[in-house]
Amino acid sequence: MILVTGASGNVGKMVLQEVSKSGAKHRAMYRSTAEAAKAPAGTEKVIADFAKKDTLDAVLGGVDSVYLVCSPIQELVQLESNMIDACAAAGVKHVVLNSAMGAGDYDKSCPSWHRKVEDKLKTTRLSYTILRPNSFHQNVPAFFAPTIRTEGVFYSSMRDAKNSFLDVRDIAVVAAKALAGGEHAGKIYELNGPEAISYAELARKISKVVGREVKYVDIPMDAQRKAMLGQGMPEWLVAALLDLQQYYLNGKGGEVDGLLQKLLGRAPITMAQFLSENGNEFRAEAANA
């Protein structure tokens, strides 16, 4: 039995789809009945919360493997640690932990939180696979589409730093395979996308898809901080995101290797493919849809 946590999240939802397609016996963990109602047909649904330890034991009955993911929030270390403790107590055999790029060598922001969870997992008797994915293709419309639709521009302070984005659907395929343990047990996979691009290059790719010029405008980091705070983002999140951005500015996150393709057994989804599928997200009419 496989348990997929975070089953309504960006990656968890895709992992659940992959596990469901495989035919493996599985259940999905949600925090509400409204979220659980969206589960694929044939999926056993359970309601639990990492913050409520007394809800975790029941969802782990008969479970052999767990996909563990949590939103990048301040309480991430404690919440995921609660689940790791529950897995160890319940006799779970294997955990696939969704960590983050930088967890191995960056002591700030989200990567440092994920590293604490990784270290916690390694102290248990649990078999594990750790996934450290780079930035998602799906972050591009989430972060940049609003101003692209209204102004034809997106802003950041990334200068010419390169990023090897990858698709959450590819992460999900790797996670579903890793849930079987076997050759994946004890492995830490740094997952980079198929190409490293700057934001200026990203703007050109978006332009090609939407059929009009889209520009990337580099701004001072202080200006980016003020803009993020002005959008109502909490100070802790702004600080975490800008600290993470510094990781990329330091030359990290732009590596390209063949690991993802090897794990997938096929070519990874490229940014051009993703943009072609989601071009409407960047068009003005999408805002009124």
Side-chain angles (χ1 to χ4, degrees), residues 99-118:
S99 183
M101 180 66 62
D105 62 357
Y106 195 55
D107 61 0
K108 295 181 179 180
S109 186
C110 300
S112 70
W113 307 342
H114 284 290
R115 180 56 181 265
K116 290 177 182 177
V117 179
E118 291 184 14

Side-chain angles (χ1 to χ4, degrees), residues 91-170:
V92 169
K93 294 182 178 66
H94 188 69
V95 172
V96 175
L97 175 64
N98 201 107
S99 183
M101 180 66 62
D105 62 357
Y106 195 55
D107 61 0
K108 295 181 179 180
S109 186
C110 300
S112 70
W113 307 342
H114 284 290
R115 180 56 181 265
K116 290 177 182 177
V117 179
E118 291 184 14
D119 290 344
K120 163 84 174 181
L121 180 57
K122 291 175 184 177
T123 66
T124 72
R125 58 153 194 84
L126 295 161
S127 169
Y128 63 82
T129 305
I130 294 170
L131 309 181
R132 293 176 177 167
N134 210 326
S135 297
F136 308 154
H137 288 155
Q138 285 74 9
N139 289 343
V140 173
F143 293 158
F144 303 140
T147 57
I148 290 175
R149 287 195 296 259
T150 58
E151 304 173 38
V153 173
F154 66 97
Y155 305 88
S156 188
S157 47
M158 282 282 284
R159 301 199 288 273
D160 59 354
K162 290 183 179 287
N163 191 342
S164 52
F165 293 91
L166 75 167
D167 199 283
V168 297
R169 291 167 292 181
D170 285 343

Side-chain angles (χ1 to χ4, degrees), residues 161-162 246-255:
K162 290 183 179 287
Q246 190 62 52
Y247 179 77
Y248 289 91
L249 287 170
N250 290 340
K252 306 289 188 177
E255 184 176 349

Side-chain angles (χ1 to χ4, degrees), residues 69-84:
V69 66
C70 180
S71 300
I73 57 177
Q74 287 178 299
E75 299 82 10
L76 179 146
V77 176
Q78 186 59 59
L79 295 179
E80 292 194 334
S81 293
N82 288 347
M83 191 59 172
I84 289 171

Side-chain angles (χ1 to χ4, degrees), residues 47-74:
I47 309 299
D49 191 324
F50 292 149
K52 300 174 181 177
K53 295 182 182 181
D54 58 340
T55 68
L56 300 178
D57 292 342
V59 306
L60 289 167
V63 170
D64 300 303
S65 297
V66 172
Y67 170 72
L68 177 55
V69 66
C70 180
S71 300
I73 57 177
Q74 287 178 299

